[in-house]
Amino acid sequence: MTQAPAAPENDRRPMRRRHDREIVALAVPAFGALVAEPLFVMADSAIVGHLGTPQLAGLGIAATLLSTAVSVFIFLAYATTAAVSRRVGSGDLRAAIRQGMDGIWLALLLGALVVVAVLPSAPWLVALFGASDTAAPYASTYLRISALGIPAMLVVLASTGILRGLQNTRTPLYVAIGGFAVNGGLNVGLVYGAGLGIAGSAWGTVIAQFGMAAVYLTVVVRGARRHGASLLPDATGIKNSARAGVPLLVRTLSLRAVLMIATAVAAGLGDADIAAHQIILSLWSLMAFALDAIAIAGQAIIGRYLGADDVHGARQACRRMVEWGVAFGVLLGLLVVVARPLFIPLFTGDHTVQDTLLPALLVVAVIQPVAGVVFVLDGVLMGAGDGPYLAWAMLVTLAVFAPVALLVPTLGGGLTTLWWAMGLMMVVRMLTLAWRSRSGRWLVTGATR
C-alpha cells in the first residue's frame, strides 16, 4: 500500500486535535479503572489489619499469589482489545462482539483450570513463600476462598478488553468504582458484622468480583443480541484467542522475571536496600498507571485504524501517542525530583532507608521519559496484534538485563546501580520497540491480522 504524502503543518493540526480528543476520551477513564483495581487489596488490608498481625501477614502472602496468577492472564484483556478493535474499524460489530465472546469463554476455561490447581495446593504455595506458622493458616484460608473468584476476575479482564476494543473505557471505570464500593461494604459486614474474620474478607472479594463479572456479561450480552452475535462457545474462536494470547503471556512472564530478579538482587544488598526498593516499586507502579492508560488508548485506536485499512491514520496516531508518552514521562520525572522531600517521609522515617532512596529516585526520574515511549509503543504494537514480536523483544531485554543486574553486588553502588540496570532494561525495550515501529512491519491492515 502506498503511503500518503506528508500533510502540511496547517492540515496536521486538526488531525492532532482529533487524536488528542480520542486519547483523552479513552485514557482518562482507563487511568481511573487502573487505579481502582489496587484499591481492592488496600481495602482488604485496612480491614483485615485490625484483626491482627498474623491475619494481615496471611493476607499479604495470599494477595501476592492471587495478583501474580491473575496478572499472568492479562493477555485476555490485551489480545481481546486488539482483535475487537480491528473488527470495529472494519465496520463489523457483530464479528467484533463474537470475537470478544471467544475471549470470555477462554477466560472461563482458564479460570476453572486455575481454581482446580490452586485449591489443593494452597498450603504448599503459602509455604513456598516462607509464611510463618501463625500466618500460614490465614493465608491458606484466604487463598482457597479467593481462588473461587478467579474465573470472575478473568472474565472481567476479557470483558474489559471487549469494551476497550469497542472504544469504551467509561464502563470499566464505573464497574471498577462500583466493585470497590461493594467490596469494601461486604468486607466490613462479613469480617466484623458476621464475625467471619479473614474468611469474610475473602468471601467479600469473591462476591464483588462475581458481581463485576455479571455487570460486564450483561453489557456484552445486550450488545451481542443487538447485533445478532452468537453467545455460544466456538472451539475455533477460542483456540484463535488462545493462540493470540501465548506471545503476550511470554512477554508478561519475561517482564515478571525482570521484576523478580531486581527484587532478589535488592534483597541481597541489605535490609535498607530492599526496603527502599519496595518503596520505589510502589511509586513506579503508580506512575505506570498514567503511562499505561495512554497505552490502553493506543491498543484501541491503533486496532481500529488498521481494521479500517488506514495505515496513514495509524502512523499519525502512533506518533501523537509517543509525543504524549514523552511529555507525561518528563512531567512524572520532574514530579519525582520536586516532591522527593515531601513523599519520602510518608513511606519511612528510617534515615538509612531515606539516604538509600534519594539517589535511586533520581535515576527513576531520568528513566520516566524512556518509560513513556516504552509504554506507548508497547500498547501500539499490542493494538496491531504484533504479539510475537513483543514476546521476542522482551526475551531479548531479559537476556540483557539479567546478567547486568546479577553483577550489581560486584559492581558496587547498591540500589542506585540496580536502578541504573533497570534503566538499561527500559532503554533496550525502547530501542527494540522503536525499531519495530519505524520498520512499519506492524502495519498489517484488515479485520484480522
Side-chain angles (χ1 to χ4, degrees):
M1 183 179 292
T2 59
Q3 295 290 326
E9 181 63 26
N10 289 340
D11 294 334
R12 291 179 185 174
R13 288 174 183 170
M15 184 176 290
R16 282 204 199 110
R17 286 196 291 268
R18 187 182 71 182
H19 289 320
D20 289 345
R21 286 194 297 269
E22 286 186 329
I23 293 168
V24 171
L26 291 171
V28 172
F31 174 72
L34 289 169
V35 171
E37 288 298 324
L39 295 179
F40 271 84
V41 177
M42 290 179 63
D44 288 359
S45 299
I47 294 166
V48 171
H50 291 285
L51 294 174
T53 300
Q55 289 91 332
L56 184 59
L59 171 65
I61 293 169
T64 300
L65 287 165
L66 284 167
S67 64
T68 300
V70 174
S71 67
V72 164
F73 298 109
I74 193 67
F75 68 83
L76 289 167
Y78 294 159
T80 304
T81 298
V84 171
S85 60
R86 273 185 176 270
R87 286 162 174 79
V88 168
S90 71
D92 193 347
L93 290 178
R94 179 180 178 180
I97 296 175
R98 175 62 259 181
Q99 177 69 41
M101 284 305 304
D102 293 333
I104 288 177
W105 283 110
L106 177 62
L108 287 169
L109 176 62
L110 292 173
L113 292 174
V114 174
V115 170
V116 170
V118 169
L119 288 181
S121 62
W124 177 80
L125 291 171
V126 168
L128 191 64
F129 267 64
S132 66
D133 292 339
T134 54
Y138 295 111
S140 297
T141 297
Y142 190 93
L143 181 59
R144 277 180 167 151
I145 297 172
S146 294
L148 299 175
I150 288 178
M153 295 179 195
L154 300 191
V155 167
V156 166
L157 287 178
S159 301
T160 300
I162 295 175
L163 294 179
R164 288 174 180 170
L166 293 171
Q167 318 296 297
N168 176 2
T169 56
R170 289 184 178 273
T171 299
L173 171 61
Y174 300 147
V175 175
I177 293 173
F180 169 70
V182 171
N183 178 67
L186 286 172
N187 268 260
V188 172
L190 294 174
V191 171
Y192 298 113
L196 296 179
I198 195 170
S201 177
W203 280 117
T205 300
V206 169
I207 295 169
Q209 291 288 351
F210 271 101
M212 292 171 66
V215 172
Y216 273 119
L217 289 176
T218 299
V219 173
V220 173
V221 168
R222 284 177 179 172
R225 289 175 175 169
R226 186 182 309 119
H227 297 286
S230 173
L231 298 173
L232 297 176
D234 177 70
T236 301
I238 294 172
K239 287 179 182 177
N240 289 337
S241 293
R243 190 178 299 114
V246 168
L248 296 180
L249 175 62
V250 172
R251 166 202 167 275
T252 300
L253 290 175
S254 300
L255 185 56
R256 298 290 298 189
V258 165
L259 297 176
M260 289 175 63
I261 290 171
T263 300
V265 171
L269 295 174
D271 290 347
D273 292 88
I274 186 59
H277 180 70
Q278 290 303 117
I279 293 171
I280 291 176
L281 284 181
S282 299
L283 182 63
W284 181 273
S285 297
L286 180 61
M287 293 188 293
F289 289 143
L291 299 175
D292 205 25
I294 304 173
I296 287 169
Q299 293 172 31
I301 292 170
I302 293 298
R304 192 190 73 230
Y305 272 117
L306 294 179
D309 297 327
D310 188 351
V311 170
H312 180 67
R315 279 194 179 278
Q316 292 297 316
C318 174
R319 183 177 296 112
R320 189 57 177 159
M321 282 182 284
V322 169
E323 291 171 356
W324 273 70
V326 172
F328 267 85
V330 171
L331 177 61
L332 291 172
L334 290 174
L335 285 174
V336 168
V337 174
V338 173
R340 281 183 309 157
L342 299 176
F343 67 75
I344 287 179
L346 297 177
F347 286 98
T348 178
D350 189 318
H351 292 293
T352 303
V353 175
Q354 290 181 358
D355 291 342
T356 304
L357 195 56
L358 280 168
L361 279 174
L362 289 176
V363 179
V364 173
V366 171
I367 296 172
Q368 289 313 297
V370 175
V373 176
V374 168
F375 274 79
V376 169
L377 290 181
D378 209 36
V380 165
L381 296 183
M382 283 183 192
D386 205 14
Y389 181 80
L390 289 173
W392 282 110
M394 198 61 230
L395 286 171
V396 169
T397 301
L398 175 61
V400 172
F401 170 76
V404 175
L406 294 174
L407 282 173
V408 166
T410 304
L411 296 173
L415 189 67
T416 302
T417 303
L418 175 60
W419 273 94
W420 277 121
M422 290 287 285
L424 172 66
M425 179 270 296
M426 295 301 291
V427 168
V428 172
R429 288 188 71 189
M430 183 183 70
L431 292 175
T432 56
L433 296 175
W435 178 85
R436 185 66 167 184
S437 174
R438 291 180 63 85
S439 75
R441 295 180 184 176
W442 57 281
L443 291 163
V444 180
T445 59
T448 58
R449 183 178 171 90

